[in-house]
Structure formats: C-alpha cells, structure tokens
Amino acid sequence: QVQLVESGGGLVQAGGSLRLFCAASGTTTRINTMGWYRQAPGKERELVASISTPASTTYADSAKGRFTISRANTVNAIYLQMNSLRPEDTAIYYCRYFKFGDVYWGQGTQVTVSS
C-alpha cells in the first residue's frame, strides 16, 4: 500500500504561480512513475505531467513551457512548478504513483485561477 499526500494548491490570479508537492510513503519502490493529473468540473481526469525514474518526463501539451515536474528530496516525492497560470488550469490536482501494475492516488489539492 502506498499513501500519497499533496500540498501547495490554492487561489491565484491569472499569470501567477503555484508549486505543488507530493510525498509517497508506505510500500514504495525506487523504480516508479509519479505524476500529476487534474480534473475540472464536468471533465475527464487528464495527465498534466509525469516523471519516471530517474528523470524522464512527460507533459500535456497545455502544460509544456509553463509547468515543470521534478523529483524532490527522494525518489518518492515530486514537485510541480506551475507558472503563467490560466483560468482553464482550475481543477483538482491529483498525485499519482505507479509501480509495476499498482496505481495509487492522492486525495487531491484544489487549484483555482481567477481572471
């Protein structure tokens, strides 16, 4: 079992920045993929960014050039630096952890971007 704890969400004005953080604990592995997904009201949950050990990254087209995912202090913690935020970025952001067929989700953190 893996537990994920997210933080860093909040309310910002368009053009502002936020940094999300996610830490995994429990039965974690050194080889894994962690990422951020988001779900806006009435929409499907979608990939924002992910990172596989050691540092291979994937970004949604809407996030490229604005968001940066990175490992934190350990292989089981990640950041998502979000710059130039837009109202359409408003959503609940979920941390995702994958290890050989097992997927775990965090509770989510709300990001709201005002016009």
Side-chain angles (χ1 to χ4, degrees), residues 10 36 42 62-63 77 82 95 100 104:
W36 290 96
S62 62
M82 303 187 292
C95 182
F100 291 112
Y104 302 90

Side-chain angles (χ1 to χ4, degrees), residues 11 21 23 30 61 69 72 82 95 98 105:
L11 173 64
F21 174 76
R30 289 177 291 177
D61 288 341
I69 189 169
M82 303 187 292
C95 182
F98 170 82
W105 294 94

Side-chain angles (χ1 to χ4, degrees), residues 17-99:
S17 299
L18 285 173
R19 188 178 70 171
L20 306 184
F21 174 76
C22 175
S25 62
T27 313
T28 57
T29 59
R30 289 177 291 177
I31 300 176
N32 63 64
T33 297
M34 296 186 69
W36 290 96
Y37 289 68
R38 68 187 180 190
Q39 187 166 20
K43 296 184 178 181
E44 299 289 335
R45 187 173 298 185
E46 64 178 358
L47 169 72
V48 178
S50 67
I51 183 166
S52 299
T53 49
S56 179
T57 59
T58 299
Y59 293 94
D61 288 341
S62 62
K64 293 177 181 177
R66 299 189 300 128
F67 296 179
T68 302
I69 189 169
S70 61
R71 299 284 182 180
N73 301 100
T74 75
V75 71
N76 292 303
I78 56 170
Y79 287 109
L80 181 67
Q81 179 66 45
M82 303 187 292
N83 299 325
S84 301
L85 285 164
R86 307 162 181 165
E88 52 263 41
D89 294 318
T90 296
I92 299 176
Y93 284 68
Y94 297 91
C95 182
R96 176 183 178 272
Y97 187 97
F98 170 82
K99 57 164 186 174

